[in-house]
């Protein structure tokens, strides 16, 4: 979901998660190394053996090294194995392929020239055969195979993280994170795993940039350019059209059982309706002709709906109906929360609020209460998290931060807010009001996404995608 730019989060040093290491064709090297080596020129300069420790895909690895001509070179066989590349020795030298089959590298000892995907490149120092092993320049080999290297942090990723600006985060059932690459020339949805460098292009469907995720995390719902509702499989990316209704649909909300999708309907957002996922049949829920409905929410038992109505000024005129006599009464203008009883036929919406403040992020809790963020329309008062109980009484939810964002999860809320020291804190608040700190930070964050069960948290900071695990932020893009 997209959130306004107000949250900040400390994107402290990332802990890179472990990924699987691919197999190395060492057998194809072993018995032939000595015979090939006799035809190669060994380094004439003095060589000093050593080791160097790097964090490879989250795991500390001690590499064998040599110093040659003032440069540190690394064991070719060991580097290839740790980043998952296939290594083969042939008559013309070594050939390497990354585990995704995207890059091919050809090199030989004693030669600074090497090939990357058919293009000629040059090592600073030629690969050296010494004491039964071949040693190469680390950074150029990692980059040639599509990896990423940070010398200052001594970290290596088998695959480089995607670059660019991202937004519109969504979690899937498999624990993947889908984000829109907002600076791409055409639509590009990227699916990230929580292991940095492990990602794929998920979809290039421009209409599917933002979608409503089903409760089980298997499907996304979105409108195409014709107004038809579509479903996208969040595993495969395949899409299918749902029904034939092409009316304007906004604020898509899945029912808890995944059988229906509710939405605000009409050019002026004047109606509520729902569509059956199995048949595509559309049924009217409310047609009271009150315009500017938004932020639709449906209770887990489908017995009630909550939404916001943006009331505009009322035009008034005298008996002559002249332009000079026209006035607009803004005394009742503003956002108000309404609740509709879905279990009672022909029920009328009931106003939950009458105050002039802005209402944001409404949620229906398990006990039927409605929670929302109250923001002073003039910006003169602090934001407040409020709850309207089933009996109509209202109260504040007290936290040690000024709340700036909130979303409902199965066991309560996830909220973010500004602390007294200027930092931003993300809390999980259960149905009993007990809070657990999930993250605390100082860096600017423009977006937050929480999985339906509240177990996974992702953020966008300066356009980059991060996932928060165990209080630490892992950077998935750069």
């Amino acid at each position: 979901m997209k959130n306004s730019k107000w949250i900040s989060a400390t994107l402290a040093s990332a802990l890179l998660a472990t990924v699987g290491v691919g197999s190395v064709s060492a057998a194809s090297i072993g018995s032939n190394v000595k015979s090939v080596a006799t035809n190669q020129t060994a380094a004439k300069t003095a060589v000093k053996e050593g080791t160097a420790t790097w964090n490879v895909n989250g795991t500390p690895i001690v590499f064998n090294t040599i110093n040659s001509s003032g440069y540190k070179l690394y064991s070719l066989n060991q580097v290839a194995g740790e980043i998952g590349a296939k290594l083969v020795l042939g008559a013309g030298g070594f050939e390497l392929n990354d585990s995704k089959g995207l890059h091919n590298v050809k090199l030989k000892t004693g030669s600074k020239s090497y090939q990357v995907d058919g293009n000629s490149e040059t090592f600073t120092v030629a690969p050296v055969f010494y004491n039964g092993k071949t040693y190469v320049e680390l950074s150029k080999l990692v980059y040639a195979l599509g990896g990423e290297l940070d010398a200052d942090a001594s970290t290596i990723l088998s695959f480089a993280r995607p670059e660019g600006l991202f937004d519109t985060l969504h979690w899937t059932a498999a624990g993947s994170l889908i984000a829109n690459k907002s600076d791409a020339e055409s639509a590009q949805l990227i699916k990230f795993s929580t292991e940095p460098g492990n990602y794929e292009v998920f979809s290039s469907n421009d209409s599917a940039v933002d979608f409503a995720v089903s409760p089980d995390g298997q499907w996304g719902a979105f409108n195409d350019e014709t107004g038809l509702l579509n479903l996208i499989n969040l595993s495969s990316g395949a899409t299918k059209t749902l029904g034939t209704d092409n009316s304007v649909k906004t604020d898509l909300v899945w029912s808890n059982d995944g059988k229906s999708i509710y939405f605000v309907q009409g050019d002026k957002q004047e109606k509520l309706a729902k569509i059956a996922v199995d048949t595509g049949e559309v049924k009217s829920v409310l047609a009271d002709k009150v315009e500017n409905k938004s932020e639709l929410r449906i209770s887990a038992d489908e017995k009630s709906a909550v939404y916001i109505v943006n009331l505009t000024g009322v035009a008034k005129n005298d008996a002559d109906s002249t332009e000079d006599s026209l006035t607009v009464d803004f005394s009742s203008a503003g956002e108000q929360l309404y609740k509709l009883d879905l279990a009672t036929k022909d029920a009328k919406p009931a106003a939950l609020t009458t105050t002039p403040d802005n209402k944001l992020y409404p949620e229906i809790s398990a006990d039927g209460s409605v929670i929302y963020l109250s923001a002073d329309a003039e910006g003169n008062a602090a934001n407040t998290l409020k709850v309207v109980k089933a009996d109509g009484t209202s109260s504040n939810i007290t936290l040690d931060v000024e709340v700036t964002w909130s979303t409902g999860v199965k066991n309560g809320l996830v909220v973010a807010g500004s602390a007294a020291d200027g930092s931003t804190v993300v809390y999980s608040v259960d149905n009993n009001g007990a809070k657990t700190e999930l993250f605390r930070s100082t860096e600017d964050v423009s977006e937050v996404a929480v999985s339906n069960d509240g177990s996974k948290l992702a953020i966008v900071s300066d356009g980059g995608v991060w996932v928060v695990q165990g209080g630490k932020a892992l950077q998935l893009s750069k």
Side-chain angles (χ1 to χ4, degrees):
M1 77 178 62
K2 269 191 174 179
N3 308 304
S4 55
K5 293 189 176 181
W6 34 252
I7 311 176
S8 30
T10 266
L11 306 179
S13 45
L15 299 179
L16 300 178
T18 304
V19 300
V21 176
S23 60
V24 180
S25 299
S28 64
I29 304 170
S31 61
N32 294 325
V33 169
K34 291 183 179 179
S35 61
V36 174
T38 59
N39 297 320
Q40 298 173 334
T41 303
K44 301 296 185 180
T45 56
V47 172
K48 182 179 180 181
E49 295 181 272
T51 61
T53 301
W54 288 73
N55 190 303
V56 182
N57 299 322
T59 301
I61 301 296
V62 179
F63 287 104
N64 295 316
T65 66
I66 62 170
N67 287 328
S68 177
S69 301
Y71 289 89
K72 182 176 289 186
L73 304 182
Y74 288 71
S75 166
L76 173 63
N77 188 21
Q78 193 178 11
V79 172
E82 293 299 340
I83 64 176
K86 182 181 179 181
L87 174 62
V88 178
L89 176 62
F94 294 96
E95 181 171 346
L96 300 96
N97 293 279
D98 70 282
S99 61
K100 291 184 178 180
L102 300 175
H103 301 287
N104 173 268
V105 178
K106 295 179 181 179
L107 58 87
K108 57 184 177 180
T109 56
S111 174
K112 289 185 178 182
S113 178
Y114 65 104
Q115 297 285 315
V116 180
D117 302 330
N119 300 313
S120 295
E121 302 289 346
T122 304
F123 285 119
T124 306
V125 178
V128 172
F129 183 79
Y130 175 77
N131 200 19
K133 297 178 181 179
T134 298
Y135 293 83
V136 298
E137 191 175 342
L138 177 65
S139 59
K140 291 194 175 183
L141 180 63
V142 170
Y143 294 142
L145 289 167
E148 183 178 326
L149 180 147
D150 185 340
D152 293 333
S154 296
T155 59
I156 296 173
L157 295 176
S158 293
F159 299 99
R161 295 164 295 178
E163 298 185 38
L165 303 176
F166 293 85
D167 59 24
T168 319
L169 304 177
H170 296 290
W171 287 102
T172 73
S176 300
L177 185 66
I178 297 175
N180 172 50
K181 192 174 186 300
S182 57
D183 60 347
E185 292 185 359
S186 58
Q188 194 174 102
L189 294 178
I190 304 296
K191 180 188 285 187
F192 296 89
S193 81
T194 54
E195 299 168 344
N198 192 355
Y199 69 95
E200 62 178 317
V201 177
F202 172 68
S203 175
S204 57
N205 188 328
D206 186 65
S207 298
V209 165
D210 196 7
F211 49 83
V213 181
S214 62
D216 62 5
Q218 301 284 354
W219 296 92
F222 65 94
N223 296 304
D224 65 19
E225 65 277 3
T226 70
L228 293 174
L229 194 61
N230 286 254
L231 299 181
I232 183 168
N233 186 304
L234 299 185
S235 176
S236 67
T239 62
K240 62 180 181 180
T241 302
L242 182 58
T244 58
D245 182 89
N246 62 355
S247 63
V248 174
K249 305 173 187 69
T250 64
D251 299 86
L252 305 179
V253 181
W254 289 77
S255 62
N256 193 53
D257 60 10
K259 294 181 179 180
S260 302
I261 300 174
Y262 289 79
F263 52 90
V264 177
Q265 186 182 35
D267 294 337
K268 298 180 179 180
Q269 293 79 53
E270 70 275 17
K271 295 180 285 188
L272 301 181
K274 69 175 180 178
I275 188 170
V277 173
D278 57 348
T279 66
E281 180 185 5
V282 174
K283 290 185 178 181
S284 176
V285 173
L286 175 66
D288 61 356
K289 299 183 180 180
V290 175
E291 300 175 0
N292 302 317
K293 296 180 175 69
S294 65
E295 297 292 329
L296 177 64
R297 302 291 187 271
I298 304 297
S299 62
D301 58 11
E302 288 188 76
K303 291 184 178 180
S304 60
V306 168
Y307 56 93
I308 290 174
V309 174
N310 186 14
L311 301 174
T312 58
V314 178
K316 294 184 178 182
N317 217 326
D318 60 15
D320 296 329
S321 297
T322 62
E323 183 177 347
D324 292 338
S325 66
L326 177 65
T327 60
V328 180
D329 180 8
F330 291 100
S331 61
S332 299
E335 297 177 341
Q336 301 301 339
L337 276 168
Y338 284 80
K339 187 173 185 179
L340 177 64
D341 182 356
L342 298 178
T344 301
K345 185 179 180 180
D346 297 327
K348 303 298 182 183
L352 296 179
T353 61
T354 57
T355 53
D357 55 322
N358 292 328
K359 284 84 177 174
L360 305 169
Y361 315 118
E363 298 292 343
I364 305 174
S365 63
D367 64 359
S369 301
V370 176
I371 301 170
Y372 68 97
L373 179 63
S374 170
D376 181 57
E378 303 299 327
N380 297 322
N383 297 343
T384 306
L385 199 61
K386 292 183 176 292
V387 55
V388 181
K389 297 182 180 179
D391 61 6
T393 60
S394 177
S395 61
N396 295 341
I397 297 177
T398 303
L399 294 171
D400 58 352
V401 295
E402 181 183 357
V403 178
T404 49
W405 172 83
S406 173
T407 190
V409 293
K410 287 184 177 180
N411 61 345
L413 297 170
V414 173
V415 302
S418 301
D421 62 0
S423 63
T424 293
V425 185
V426 180
Y427 283 124
S428 172
V429 182
D430 66 23
N431 291 323
N432 296 318
K435 70 178 187 295
T436 301
E437 184 175 317
L438 302 177
F439 197 66
R440 182 180 292 266
S441 66
T442 57
E443 300 296 325
D444 177 61
V445 169
S446 59
E447 189 172 334
V448 174
V450 184
S451 59
N452 283 340
D453 61 3
S455 65
K456 300 177 181 66
L457 181 67
I459 57 179
V460 173
S461 175
D462 293 328
V465 179
W466 299 69
V467 60
V468 179
Q469 296 180 338
K472 299 293 183 180
L474 234 62
Q475 188 175 3
L476 302 184
S477 70
K478 62 177 184 177

